[in-house]
DNA sequence: TATTGTTATACTCTATAACTATA
DNA sequence: TATAGTTATAGAGTATAACAATA
C-alpha cells in the first residue's frame, strides 16, 4: 500500500516562474506609481515609447506584437489614449484594412516628459545589480523570452 | 540655438524593464493556457501552490505578501476560489481580527492534479536555457527582486 | 495607534467569438 | 483563404478609501 505524500511544489521550472513573476510584479507596481500622477499606466507608457521609437507609424497589429499584447487588448488601450489626444489612428495609405498609429504632438510631449521624469527610476533599476550582472540578466531574459516564444511570432 | 532631437528610448534600465515584461507576459500567457480548461488562472494556481506549500494555514495578509499581491486584490481572488470550494477561511484561534486560509480536500486535490498536469510545461521552462544558465537566471532574478523590494517588505 | 479584514467602487488589461471589409 | 480591425461581452486582477473590530 502506497503512502500518501503531499506533492511538493518544488522544481526549477516552478521556481523560475515564481521568481520571474515576483520580479515583474514588484517592478510593475513601482513603475505604475512612477507614472500615476500623470494619469498614465506603465503599460500605456510602454506603448507610447514603442511609438516614439519608430520613425514610421505602426499598424495596430504591429504595435500589438511590439508590446506583447493582442489586437483586442491593444484596441482598448488605444481608445483610452486616443481619447486623451495622445495618439491618432489614420487610415493606411495602401492597405485599406489597416490603420497607422501615431503619436500626436501632445503625445510626443507627454512621452518625453514622462521619459525624463522616469530617468531616476531607470537608473535605479540598472543599479540594483552590478553592471556585469545587469548585462547578464538582460541577456538571459532575452534568450529566455526568445526561446519561449512560438517561433513564428519571434521578431 | 539648440537642435530639436527626438528623445531616444534607450537605456539599460528601460531595456531591462522591457525584457522582464516581455519574458513575464509571454510566460504568463502560456501558463494561463495551461490551466484554462480547468477553469483556474495562472495567478490562482500560484495561490493554491502557496497554500499547498505551507504546513500551517496562512492569514490573508501573509498570503498576500507571499504571492506579491495586496489584501484587497487577494480578497477578490479568495472569494472566487472559496465559491469553487477550493479553500476555506477560518477564524484565527487567537487573533480575532484575522482569518486563516486553508485548502479544502477538494482544493488539495485540484492543486495536485494541476501540478501534475503542468509538469511538462515546467520542464519546458527549465529546458529553454542550459542548466547553468537557468540557475544563473534564477539567481539574478531573485537578487534583482530582492534589491527592488522596499526592505521592510523583504521576507 | 497600528493592524486585519471588509465594503464599496472603479478602472485597466485581458481575451473570445462573431463579424465586416479588404488583401 | 487569410488578415486587419471592430463589436460585443465578460472576467480577472488591481487598487484606493473609508470603515469596524481587535491587537
Amino acid at each position: 500500500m502506497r503512502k500518501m505524500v503531499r506533492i511538493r511544489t518544488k522544481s526549477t521550472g516552478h521556481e523560475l516562474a515564481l521568481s520571474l513573476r515576483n520580479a515583474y510584479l514588484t517592478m510593475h507596481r513601482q513603475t505604475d506609481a512612477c507614472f500615476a500622477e500623470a494619469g498614465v499606466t506603465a503599460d500605456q507608457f510602454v506603448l507610447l515609447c514603442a511609438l516614439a521609437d519608430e520613425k514610421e507609424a505602426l499598424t495596430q497589429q504591429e504595435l500589438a506584437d511590439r508590446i506583447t499584447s493582442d489586437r483586442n487588448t491593444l484596441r482598448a488601450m488605444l481608445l483610452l489614449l486616443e481619447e486623451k489626444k495622445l495618439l491618432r489612428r489614420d487610415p493606411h495609405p495602401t492597405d485599406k484594412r489597416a490603420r497607422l498609429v501615431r503619436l500626436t504632438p501632445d503625445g510626443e510631449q507627454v512621452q518625453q516628459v514622462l521619459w525624463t521624469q522616469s530617468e531616476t527610476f531607470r537608473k535605479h533599476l540598472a543599479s540594483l545589480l552590478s553592471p556585469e550582472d545587469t548585462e547578464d540578466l538582460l541577456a538571459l531574459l532575452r534568450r529566455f523570452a526568445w526561446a519561449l516564444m512560438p517561433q513564428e511570432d519571434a521578431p
Side-chain angles (χ1 to χ4, degrees), chain A residues 140-151 154:
Chain A
L140 287 169
L141 280 172
R142 283 176 171 156
R143 285 174 44 210
F144 178 82
W146 168 269
L148 189 55
M149 260 188 304
Q151 284 310 308

Side-chain angles (χ1 to χ4, degrees), chain A residues 36-72:
Chain A
E37 73 178 271
V40 171
T41 67
D43 288 317
Q44 289 170 359
F45 181 69
V46 169
L47 195 164
L48 296 176
C49 287
L51 292 174
D53 261 353
E54 289 298 319
K55 270 288 178 237
E56 294 99 38
L58 297 170
T59 66
Q60 296 189 184
Q61 188 60 58
E62 285 166 344
L63 185 53
D65 295 340
R66 209 67 68 100
I67 67 169
T68 319
S69 189
D70 85 340
R71 63 189 205 230
N72 299 293

Side-chain angles (χ1 to χ4, degrees), chain A residues 51 56-58 86-91 100-104:
Chain A
L51 292 174
E56 294 99 38
L58 297 170
L86 299 185
L87 53 81
R88 303 195 321 257
R89 297 183 301 145
D90 300 328
L100 288 177
V101 187
R102 280 181 231 277
L103 293 181
T104 60

Side-chain angles (χ1 to χ4, degrees), chain A residues 119-135:
Chain A
E119 187 74 39
T120 305
F121 182 67
R122 276 191 304 282
K123 287 254 169 65
H124 177 56
L125 283 184
S127 74
L128 295 173
L129 304 178
S130 72
E132 296 75 24
D133 286 345
T134 300
E135 285 306 315

Side-chain angles (χ1 to χ4, degrees), chain A residues 48 52 85-86 103-114:
Chain A
L48 296 176
K85 315 281 191 210
L86 299 185
L103 293 181
T104 60
D106 266 18
E108 284 189 20
Q109 206 207 322
V110 166
Q111 189 271 334
Q112 290 182 11
V113 167
L114 292 180

